[in-house]
Amino acid sequence: MTAGAVLVSALAIPGTAHAEAPVVKAAGSSGDWAAIEVRLRHGSAIGEDVTKITAALRPAGSGESDAPVATVTDFKQTNRINPWEGVWSSQPVHLDTLGDYTIDVEATTSAGETTVRKGAGTLRYRKQPVFQDFAVTPTTPTIEDKTVTVSGDLVVRDPITRLTEPLPGASVSFWIERQIDTPATTDDKGHFSVSHELAEGGGAYATYRGDLGYASTSWVDITPTAAPTRITLDKSSFHLTAGDKITVSGTLQYQSGSEWKPLSGIPLEMDYKNSSTSHPIEATTGADGRFSFAASPYQKTVYEVAFRPYPYNAWIQRTATVDVDVAVTATTKFRDFTASLDKYAELSVSGTLGIVGSDRSERVSVAIQYSPNGRTGWTTEKTVKTDFDSQFHTTLPGYTDGYWRLKYAGSATYDVKGTTSGALRKNRALTRIKNADASPEPVRKGRTITVKGVLQERQAGSSTWKAYGSKKVQILFRPTGKKTWYLMTTVTSKSNGSFSKGFTARQDGTWVPVFLYPDRGHFVGSGKEDYVDVR
């Protein structure tokens, strides 16, 4: 049989499935240098078709036909790499001489399919460095004692006798937590020990790499014991006016036995509770465990004080939270308040009632108030219904002079503070036609009727009437039995305010002079109506 030859049954029945011969991938040793490991790709999905493995050992460099110095058959599957590939291992082999040995492998299935591979690998039968009694103490450190001790012994094992002896003066390297730690040197008994202060835990193992080869320990998990925590607030509820600030302060502590101690340097955050968006306010505890957050709640709010998601801290339980209840009194303010007084003393008012600290959409009442002097005697002249942040318009009878303002009383039910606008003074000068007269009366038809008078003005805040010259005065006539006034003519007052105009008497009726088209600073004015009998 040549190396790598595969024996296949020549009597295979067409259409009948049968196990394929195994493929020898490699052979050698792993953890125990004296034991043989064979890696096979086998025919079935679980490897049960491999019934026998034989490994023949011959000195390295010998011919394939040379007789083996030992034959090993006690193999068991020790590792399943995938459904069609695995590793079979033997017990430690006893040989009389140290050195390297070539491994020839023969593997047979339950169906008798056999594979032979010459020179499948090498068994390095040598003295082996081995770690013994490797330990990490403690494996569950606490926040108050984060130091662990990694210790063990490094020995040399003779594969012939299986006896060990210490390996002094050897350099042992360590991986502790997430980093390679400072190496240690074994003492006369092969013992080593190092201490390490942990940052967050993880695990540890040791390695040796020297003249005798390489050795390593198994990984040992280091899992810190997370201490219970609590967050204690100085004040957990607030009531403020919208726009004001609050300071949320307190202490973060961890439990040590029956005692609670401060936690320093821990990042915390305060955010809206159960919010789908994140707007956290951040703070870090001081040496005394104290923290403080400043916030300006816009409206009624519940905050939650909790640990920040990062960085992770293995030494404490990060589930502690505490709620902060904030009630907010909404504030209101009038915007765009305007008022205008027309020539007939009708007041037009518009404005917007804004709100801060609430998103309510209720209808509210706004009072329009008047005061003669702008300081006292305010009376409500009209009430309008409006929505927050919506402009309203209205009209009402005005006064010749005075002050106007808007007022909202607020709502105790919905915790909304009332407000009053600034005052606007609105006035116009009064006008009148003094000594208005249509004469003579009675008068004969065809004769002249003369309409005359004096146009005067009185400014707001004054009690004196003065001549109002160079202004247009309309003279109106209403025939007897009619309801309609007719414009007969327009005249211009003289500098002393007087005017006069003659008309041909045609029919009975009433005459009146009127100042109909004043400027923005004056009201409409008129004289008395005068009936003239035409005969």
Side-chain angles (χ1 to χ4, degrees), residues 136-142 145-150 198 220-223:
V136 178
T137 306
T139 55
T140 55
T142 67
D145 186 4
K146 299 179 180 180
T147 299
V148 296
T149 299
V150 180
L198 299 171
V220 176
D221 288 324
I222 303 173
T223 306

Side-chain angles (χ1 to χ4, degrees), residues 130-137 149-156 165-172 174 183-195 206:
V130 177
F131 283 100
Q132 292 181 341
D133 301 325
F134 179 72
V136 178
T137 306
T149 299
V150 180
S151 62
D153 299 300
L154 183 60
V155 299
V156 178
E165 60 182 15
L167 182 58
S171 179
V172 177
F174 304 95
T185 301
T186 58
D187 61 16
D188 293 342
K189 296 182 179 180
H191 185 72
F192 61 87
S193 178
V194 295
S195 294

Side-chain angles (χ1 to χ4, degrees), residues 29-42:
S29 59
S30 183
D32 189 335
W33 292 0
I36 301 172
E37 288 188 348
V38 177
R39 181 170 174 174
L40 298 177
R41 181 173 178 83
H42 42 81

Side-chain angles (χ1 to χ4, degrees), residues 441-505:
E441 52 179 299
V443 64
R444 289 189 179 274
K445 191 174 184 178
R447 295 291 183 93
T448 298
I449 298 175
T450 299
V451 180
K452 61 182 179 179
V454 178
L455 178 62
Q456 295 180 322
E457 65 171 347
R458 190 179 77 186
Q459 293 292 331
S462 173
S463 60
T464 302
W465 289 92
K466 295 182 179 180
Y468 196 25
S470 302
K471 301 301 175 186
K472 302 294 184 182
V473 176
Q474 289 73 38
I475 296 177
L476 307 181
F477 174 70
R478 185 179 66 196
T480 299
K482 301 290 185 180
K483 294 182 178 180
T484 302
W485 289 94
Y486 296 91
L487 174 62
M488 303 304 292
T489 191
T490 297
V491 297
T492 301
S493 63
K494 297 179 181 179
S495 60
N496 63 358
S498 66
F499 61 88
S500 177
K501 182 65 177 178
F503 300 91
T504 300

